Amino acid sequence: MSVYNCYDCNKVLCEDCFRKHNDEKKYQSHLMQLISNSYILNCKFILEDNSPYNRRISDMKCLPNGEVVVAVLGQPELMTFSVRGMRRHFIELKESIWKMDVLDKDTVAGFLKNHSMAIVDIQQNHVHYVSDTAEGYRIGSLIYIENQLFVVNTSGIIVIDMSGSVKRRIKLGFTPHDMCYAGDSQRIYCIDSENSELICIDRNGTIVFTYTDPSMTNLKTLTMDNEGDVLVLCGKVEDNSGNGIKVDSNGKSSEVVITNVKTSRDNCICFHRLTNSVVISVYNEVYIYTAKHTVNV
């Protein structure tokens, strides 16, 4: 018999109780998931802080020191939080960041709406701007690899050095929706949303493998866990929910590790390595799913 956990009630429910729980209108917004999931919702927090506008997350990353870095859609600001939602830093920018990646333990690089790049030292509260970077390209997801940025555009990937110069172009037979990088194997994992595929390539764009699974539809975003496996967030077509699916790093198998995740058009996902947790954003909210064997953070 399936057993469910209600985060909002802090109750464990059998299948019959789960149905009754869902039938009552006042409980329909409660966060429910199967207790058998590998990652269980541990906490959530919201970005609102007496703000005159509704903050919405455009990108989110976890720093090696454990802080969660959040870029705010349409607003020239960057914030960091603890994994429990305590705000640590607030950094004002010239423009809003669209996408970003971590450079080192204190620094992120992000592309701005005005086609410039911001290199932000979180601890020093210092921002270095690189003007007119990749102007004319549609900037999508990016990953940092050995002092270069691999950036998604409509024809594949462009490789940019930290001065903003385009070094080379990698043409692909698909447009990556999102990417993550495995340093040990030097592989790039990409989502092809159009065909619901996880595609692994090397740094020259050669396809290593393509993985599909009937449970993997409407692929939204991805990250890597502490074991080097890929975590893919997939949405359901019929409603604003989805599942977190772990795919073996060699594309041999997959399993659902988180059920009933809230989804939106612009979800972000990252892995909090210090607490072995999956961090997922939806609109202006952040959800922390922690592995069962990990003590509550």
Side-chain angles (χ1 to χ4, degrees), residues 18-78:
F18 167 73
R19 289 197 194 96
K20 294 174 184 177
H21 197 77
N22 270 1
D23 287 341
E24 294 191 46
K25 189 173 182 180
K26 63 180 180 179
Y27 295 135
Q28 287 178 358
S29 62
H30 282 200
L31 297 167
M32 309 284 294
Q33 67 176 128
L34 287 166
I35 202 168
S36 59
N37 287 179
S38 300
Y39 294 88
I40 298 296
L41 182 59
N42 188 50
C43 69
K44 64 174 182 174
F45 62 89
I46 193 167
L47 297 195
E48 298 299 337
D49 186 17
N50 298 320
S51 173
Y53 54 85
N54 290 323
R55 288 190 171 102
R56 183 172 173 178
I57 297 169
S58 62
D59 203 3
M60 178 180 67
K61 301 294 179 185
C62 292
L63 290 176
N65 67 6
E67 291 189 351
V68 180
V69 185
V70 171
V72 181
L73 183 66
Q75 300 296 331
E77 56 191 41
L78 198 68

